[in-house]
Amino acid sequence: MSFKKILVPTDGSELTKDAVRVAIELALLSGGKITAFCVLDSSAYASMAADAAAPNIYETLEEEGRHATGYVAEKAGEAGVEVDEKLADGIPAKAIIHEVEAGGYDIVVMGSLGRTGVSKFLMGSVAEKVVQNAKCPVLVVKPIANHPQP
C-alpha cells in the first residue's frame, strides 16, 4: 500500500505534535505529501446570537486554525516534505471524514484531538469516530512521554 496522500488533522494542541512527527516520518519514507487540516468547530459559535461577538469568535477560531496548520507546515517544511494547509467549518469528526472521502487520502495520521473528560464522554472521541468511519487506514498516535517535540 502506498501512502502518498497523508491527511493530518490538527487542532494545534500538544496532543497532535507527536502525530505530526509520525506523519512527517511516514511522508519521508513513502515520498508522500501531507495535508494539514484544521476544523473550525462550529459548535463553539453556532449557539451564539448573531451579534458583534460572533464574527470575533469566528476570526479567533480561524486564527487558531491557521496557527495549527502552520505548525504542521513549518515542521514538514524543515524536513523537506510538501504540505498543503486546509481549514474547514463544521463538526470535527464529520468534517475530517468528509475531507478523507473528498480528497482521496491514503492514510489519516492523527492524535487524540482536544476533548477530554465529560466533554469527550458526551461528544465521543473525534479519533474514534474517524477510525470507525474513514474509508482509508487511520493511524492514531498517542502522546509519547518524555519525547522531544519536533
Side-chain angles (χ1 to χ4, degrees), residues 16 18 29 33-34 37 45 47 89 101 120 123-124 126:
T16 62
D18 283 318
L29 289 170
K33 177 180 176 181
I34 290 174
F37 186 68
Y45 61 89
S47 62
D89 293 321
E101 292 172 2
K120 178 180 174 183
M123 300 297 291
V126 172

Side-chain angles (χ1 to χ4, degrees), residues 10-146:
T10 180
D11 61 2
S13 70
E14 289 297 314
L15 296 174
T16 62
K17 290 186 176 179
D18 283 318
V20 170
R21 182 184 52 76
V22 169
I24 291 167
E25 290 175 13
L26 182 59
L28 288 169
L29 289 170
S30 67
K33 177 180 176 181
I34 290 174
T35 298
F37 186 68
C38 184
V39 180
L40 309 180
D41 190 346
S42 60
S43 66
Y45 61 89
S47 62
M48 298 186 67
D51 62 10
N56 291 338
I57 291 171
Y58 184 81
E59 288 172 11
T60 300
L61 289 172
E62 188 174 29
E63 184 178 316
E64 289 174 359
R66 292 197 189 289
H67 179 75
T69 60
Y71 174 83
V72 178
E74 177 186 339
K75 295 302 177 186
E78 290 171 1
V81 173
E82 188 178 348
V83 179
D84 284 333
E85 296 179 61
K86 290 181 102 174
L87 299 178
D89 293 321
I91 298 167
K94 287 183 179 183
I96 293 166
I97 292 162
H98 175 75
E99 179 64 20
V100 168
E101 292 172 2
Y105 293 93
D106 299 314
I107 190 167
V108 178
V109 180
M110 63 189 300
S112 297
L113 302 179
R115 293 196 193 325
T116 58
V118 173
S119 178
K120 178 180 174 183
F121 175 74
L122 294 174
M123 300 297 291
S125 165
V126 172
E128 182 178 347
K129 288 178 183 177
V130 173
V131 167
Q132 291 173 349
N133 295 291
K135 303 283 192 254
C136 69
V138 179
L139 175 59
V140 179
V141 180
K142 292 171 43 174
I144 301 168
N146 300 320

